[in-house]
Amino acid sequence: MSFMMPRGTRGVRISGGAKVLIRWVNKLMAGRIGKSGKAFGSMPALVLTTVGRKSGELRRAPLAYIPDGDGSWLIIAAYAGAVNNPAWYHNLAAHPDRVSVELDGRTHHVTVEELHGPQRERAWNQIVAANKRFAQYQDKTDRQLPVIRLTARN
């Protein structure tokens, strides 16, 4: 497993005030999704729980996902087309064995795989067909948006 997608040179710049607002909204949404299993509008959502790479603390992030055909979930490190990858992406790289998702009122411990090459291309086409917003995020930045497959561990 390799988490190697570098930051871009072009993309949305998220400043200090916007980061505070994003954290606040994410906290509200994570609580709502974790309790009710409700999605973002018509898009299904899950709560990703990682361990902070610097702090070692549990971090929760509400994320849209695309169901993968084999019972896995695809998530995208879009960060709204920002120049940087989101913090949760770096947390996955630092602690891939300590990741779980809350979905439909249940917690699943998962294995994490960043997709590359033909696997990523297939998944990306599936993602864009399900939600065109991700193509818009990709257009905003010159970094390739990482696609991550989460698979429940038995």
Side-chain angles (χ1 to χ4, degrees), residues 5-6 77 85 115-116 120-121 138 141-146:
M5 296 295 187
N85 290 311
L115 302 181
H116 300 282
R120 185 198 179 277
E121 187 65 27
Q138 183 62 75
T141 185
D142 61 348
R143 71 180 169 92
Q144 185 178 55
L145 300 182

Side-chain angles (χ1 to χ4, degrees), residues 50-120:
T50 60
V51 174
R53 72 179 165 142
K54 294 179 186 175
S55 70
E57 296 178 15
L58 290 180
R59 302 291 186 201
R60 297 175 76 217
L63 300 172
Y65 74 91
I66 306 299
D68 203 10
D70 60 1
S72 298
W73 307 281
L74 298 172
I75 58 174
I76 306 88
Y79 205 20
V83 71
N84 295 322
N85 290 311
W88 61 258
Y89 175 81
H90 301 289
N91 295 346
L92 289 177
H95 302 286
D97 56 331
R98 298 182 62 195
V99 180
S100 64
V101 297
E102 294 172 51
L103 180 67
D104 298 328
R106 296 182 54 201
T107 300
H108 306 272
H109 296 279
V110 296
T111 58
V112 178
E113 176 187 13
E114 182 173 10
L115 302 181
H116 300 282
Q119 277 190 317
R120 185 198 179 277

